Amino acid sequence: MRDLIHLTINGKDVEAPAGTTVLEAASSAGIFIPTLCYHEALEPEGSCRLCIVEVSGALRPGIRVSCIQEVKEGLVVETETERLQKNRRLILELLLGRSPYCKELLDLAARCGVVTSRFLTGENDDCIRCGKCVRVCRDKIGAYALCWVNRGNQRKITTDFERLSEYCIGCGSCAQVCPTGAIRMEDRGNERKIFTWGQVIARFTLEPCAQCGRPFAPKKYLERIREKAYKPKGLELVDAVCPECIKKKETMPPAVTDLSRMQFKVW
Ligand code: FES
């Protein structure tokens, strides 16, 4: 069991296990800190800077990024100082400049007191540059199908050479973590497409479910499950089963229910 660390957040005494971040400690104490690039299933990267807090006590006084700052005994944290609010408002205004109609961003901005932006670019982009899609694809799936290109306000996420990706395995994890729907996955008949910004970045033929025969998963995806989840355990993936059939797992033989757990816990 990890040691408990004692700190103060906005004047409130908080206890958190050693190794947790200030953001996690605040959130378990019911204190809201805005975040954009944070996702509980991914390693924090600290890139959006919305979750900044002011610290003192156990650390040199200053601004820290709460999603990567570990708790320390005696740490004093403030989450809503004038300086922090000003910084966050600027970040949100810059993001809104490119995504002025993005509902998720507008909701977060409103919560931080921002209703409009001085930096409108005329763009209407749903990608808010949180980078979760790049990280899940790289760190959890190991496919490296998405990457950042360009700098400053030209920075964007795309595939290698902005072409149909040869590395994408069609798992749809990027679409799953995307908070705004800027990346979408669409299955029609026996074809799966992954889109970003209206452009198809990957296209697959779906393999049929071994139980019901419905096309449901790309071959590359099933191969990845075989490699990542089955092989290390000395198991062999023989038949692939779709999520609907998995829900009926109580009527299935044990080997199939085992597959269901593996398939949806690749990351
Ligand atoms: Fe911490 Fe983005 S949530 S930097």
Side-chain angles (χ1 to χ4, degrees), residues 134-182:
V134 176
R135 283 151 61 208
V136 74
C137 183
R138 180 191 66 201
D139 302 342
K140 296 290 180 187
I141 306 300
Y144 294 81
L146 294 167
C147 58
W148 289 102
V149 292
N150 303 337
R151 284 169 183 269
N153 68 356
Q154 296 303 310
R155 197 166 188 239
K156 67 172 186 175
I157 290 163
T158 184
T159 53
D160 278 359
F161 305 107
E162 302 192 28
R163 295 203 199 118
L164 276 184
S165 173
E166 60 182 288
Y167 302 114
C168 178
I169 61 166
C171 65
S173 300
C174 52
Q176 213 178 326
V177 295
C178 176
T180 67

Side-chain angles (χ1 to χ4, degrees), residues 210-232:
Q211 293 286 313
C212 68
R214 186 179 68 85
F216 83 106
K219 197 173 185 176
K220 273 182 159 183
Y221 179 27
L222 296 173
E223 275 165 9
R224 185 59 58 97
I225 292 167
R226 187 173 281 126
E227 285 299 311
K228 210 171 160 176
Y230 273 65
K231 261 204 175 159

Side-chain angles (χ1 to χ4, degrees), residues 36 53 152 205 211:
L36 214 125
V53 293
T205 301
Q211 293 286 313

Side-chain angles (χ1 to χ4, degrees), residues 94-110:
L94 287 165
L95 289 166
L96 275 176
R98 292 178 65 164
S99 311
Y101 304 111
C102 173
K103 185 180 174 312
E104 292 75 11
L105 188 58
L106 285 166
D107 288 349
L108 185 61

